Amino acid sequence: MKILISNDDGFRAPGIVALYEALKDVAEVEVVAPEHNNSAKSNALTLHTPLYVTRAPNGFRYVNGTPADCVHIALTGLLGYRPDLVVSGINNGANMGDDTIYSGTVGAAMEGYLFGVPAIAFSQVERDWRHVDAAAAKARELVLQMSAQGLVGSAAWLLNVNMPNLPLDQMGHLKLCRLGRRHAAEAVITQRNPRGETMYWIGAAGAAKDDAEGTDFHATAQGHISMTPLKVDLTDHEHLSYWAQTAAKLTTAV
């Protein structure tokens, strides 16, 4: 089994180190990750500045770009082979509900999926790296189980997994979930820089709006691991017929 690991917290982050250590003896593992923290970069690709790949002393390779850049470069020439699985994380903080739209962790996994490679994004719910080794052990367990079922190296799929920051023996079982929803983000924060210019900082993410049973928010709050299958098709299939009628009217009007 050949696994490509990436993340959005940067190649030095405890989460990616723990993930590598957990998987290195069950697969041929390559790490290609951002040089610096690239949280909330989603699927962004760097198109107007050159990208450079550097080998770190621990053997990881890092890129002066986004998480999607890292996976894209790896799959289109850097590795020289097609991995069986792309694994992203372990992220420092949750990627649940609306977070998945912005998440660089999910963006890295999605880039693998777009190239036809099965992919998993792993995140811890809280932002402090507590029990990251337990999360890595659970990630290893899930990868091995997926491989045993013949799902690794098969047709592409994309999973988003969030794990509570708990010791291994206190972590609940895996639950298949839908994405929850968040309230709108908090207000932007404004400050003055030393030259008197106004600076704007994006406000914190909103609290959970839909955290009902069956959502990723609910599962992780109960101490369980949430797993949500994702897709890229943004088409509003439910309302296609409505928009067909509307489009017909618009065409007639023109």
Side-chain angles (χ1 to χ4, degrees):
M1 181 164 53
K2 294 179 171 63
I3 297 176
L4 169 64
I5 295 179
S6 193
N7 74 346
D8 73 357
D9 291 314
F11 75 99
R12 297 186 184 90
I16 201 169
V17 174
L19 191 57
Y20 171 78
E21 291 296 327
L23 294 175
K24 68 179 183 180
D25 64 342
V26 298
E28 181 181 323
V29 179
E30 293 268 7
V31 176
V32 184
E35 181 176 10
H36 303 295
N37 189 304
N38 272 258
S39 295
K41 290 295 179 69
S42 188
N43 301 87
L45 292 176
T46 302
L47 302 180
H48 302 293
T49 56
L51 295 169
Y52 299 92
V53 180
T54 305
R55 178 81 68 173
N58 64 356
F60 292 3
R61 283 183 277 194
Y62 60 87
V63 180
N64 62 323
T66 68
D69 285 333
C70 296
V71 176
H72 191 100
I73 288 174
L75 297 182
T76 57
L78 182 63
L79 294 184
Y81 62 87
R82 180 186 180 87
D84 300 302
L85 180 68
V86 171
V87 178
S88 182
I90 298 168
N91 191 62
N92 186 23
N95 280 306
M96 300 186 291
D98 305 348
D99 304 339
T100 56
I101 300 295
Y102 303 100
S103 169
T105 306
V106 174
M110 189 176 291
E111 193 69 12
Y113 172 78
L114 290 172
F115 276 91
V117 180
I120 311 175
F122 287 108
S123 303
Q124 280 191 294
V125 173
E126 297 175 30
R127 294 180 54 83
D128 58 13
W129 300 120
R130 275 185 308 116
H131 306 299
V132 69
D133 290 336
K138 281 294 184 181
R140 170 194 168 105
E141 181 181 306
L142 181 59
V143 167
L144 287 174
Q145 289 173 345
M146 301 294 277
S147 178
Q149 293 183 44
L151 298 173
V152 173
S154 63
W157 40 260
L158 176 60
L159 297 176
N160 185 45
V161 177
N162 284 271
M163 296 175 280
N165 298 55
L166 293 172
L168 197 58
D169 60 354
Q170 295 179 28
M171 209 175 298
H173 59 266
L174 184 76
K175 286 200 169 186
L176 185 66
C177 303
R178 64 178 176 86
L179 295 179
R181 293 296 308 275
R182 287 194 186 277
H183 287 285
E186 295 179 10
V188 67
I189 300 166
T190 59
Q191 295 176 331
R192 293 282 182 180
N193 71 13
R195 292 180 293 279
E197 300 164 328
T198 302
M199 303 182 297
Y200 296 90
W201 296 87
I202 298 295
K209 179 179 181 180
D210 176 6
D211 58 358
E213 186 171 356
T215 66
D216 44 10
F217 288 109
H218 186 273
T220 56
Q222 302 301 313
H224 295 291
I225 301 166
S226 70
M227 182 176 78
T228 305
L230 303 179
K231 63 179 182 179
V232 178
D233 183 1
L234 299 179
T235 306
D236 185 358
H237 292 281
E238 184 180 352
H239 295 102
L240 270 178
S241 58
Y242 164 79
W243 285 109
Q245 297 172 18
T246 302
K249 294 176 183 177
L250 292 172
T251 303
T252 303
V254 172

